[in-house]
Structure formats: C-alpha cells, structure tokens
Amino acid sequence: MTEVKQDMKVAPQEERETIISYECLTGIWHIYTNEPKHARKYEKYVTHPQRKGYNSTGRLIMLEGDVDNGKVTIRKKSPLTKAQKNHLQELNKTPAFLSNVHTDVQSQTSTN
C-alpha cells in the first residue's frame, strides 16, 4: 500500500537528495528522492511505490519505492556538437521550443 502525503512543502535545495540503492539478494533497486525534478522523472520506473508526496498544487515532489526487473545505469551527458547547439538556439526562439527540444536533440544525437 502506498502512503500518499498531500500539501507537502518542497525541501530547501541544500536538503534535497536522491538515493538509489541495490539489494543484491532480491535484485531490486530502491529509490528515494525529495528532489521534485527527479521524483517526476523516475515515477514511471517505480513499480511498487511506498511513499509519494505532493505539494499544494498537486505536483509530485517526493517519491520512494522499488524498481522491479529494472536496470540502473549512470552515464555522462554526451557533449553537444556545434550544430546541435546552434539548432537549440534557433529552437529557443520559437514558441514550440519546450515541447520539441527533447525529441530534436535525441534525433540529432542518434543520427551523428
């Protein structure tokens, strides 16, 4: 059963953390985060949430749970080429920038 907390306050930046741990015997990854950006990013991977916290506007700001049958990897961000940087600057000038930036960068990265 998931514990859900409503109207939570966002932790100050100096107190925010994301902890990912691995239980060798069960093969399960566990995540805890009170960094709102990470909570929203990783929510889709947490198959068995134990705790979720939402702010007063209903946005997810805290998450804790297990990632079953998951694989966690850590990698450095690949640097953008000059052409990709120029493309992002052009996109930034358009209203559709926020909805397209992720797919545009991904498609350019995969074609290079």
Side-chain angles (χ1 to χ4, degrees):
M1 182 168 176
T2 303
E3 176 187 343
V4 178
K5 296 182 179 184
Q6 301 291 340
D7 297 328
M8 287 184 68
K9 296 203 183 302
V10 176
Q13 280 192 319
E14 62 273 5
E15 294 178 14
R16 294 182 197 173
E17 61 186 359
T18 298
I19 301 168
I20 301 172
S21 59
Y22 178 72
E23 172 63 46
C24 189
L25 294 176
T26 61
I28 294 175
W29 289 91
H30 183 82
I31 185 168
Y32 166 81
T33 184
N34 63 351
E35 168 59 54
K37 182 171 121 179
H38 294 168
R40 291 186 298 273
K41 177 179 179 179
Y42 297 119
E43 180 181 25
K44 62 186 170 194
Y45 302 109
V46 175
T47 53
H48 298 290
Q50 290 143 357
R51 293 191 303 157
K52 286 184 171 187
Y54 296 88
N55 66 9
S56 59
T57 64
R59 288 192 78 185
L60 182 67
I61 61 168
M62 187 273 293
L63 176 67
E64 181 176 9
D66 295 332
V67 180
D68 283 347
N69 299 320
K71 177 179 168 184
V72 176
T73 59
I74 299 172
R75 62 184 172 91
K76 289 183 177 182
K77 286 185 177 181
S78 55
L80 296 177
T81 65
K82 188 167 181 89
Q84 289 171 324
K85 288 179 186 176
N86 290 339
H87 183 70
L88 285 176
Q89 287 175 345
E90 289 301 314
L91 284 175
N92 195 20
K93 296 175 185 175
T94 66
F97 171 70
L98 292 177
S99 63
N100 293 331
V101 68
H102 179 70
T103 54
D104 287 345
V105 172
Q106 289 299 97
S107 64
Q108 282 191 1
T109 304
S110 62
T111 58
N112 290 338

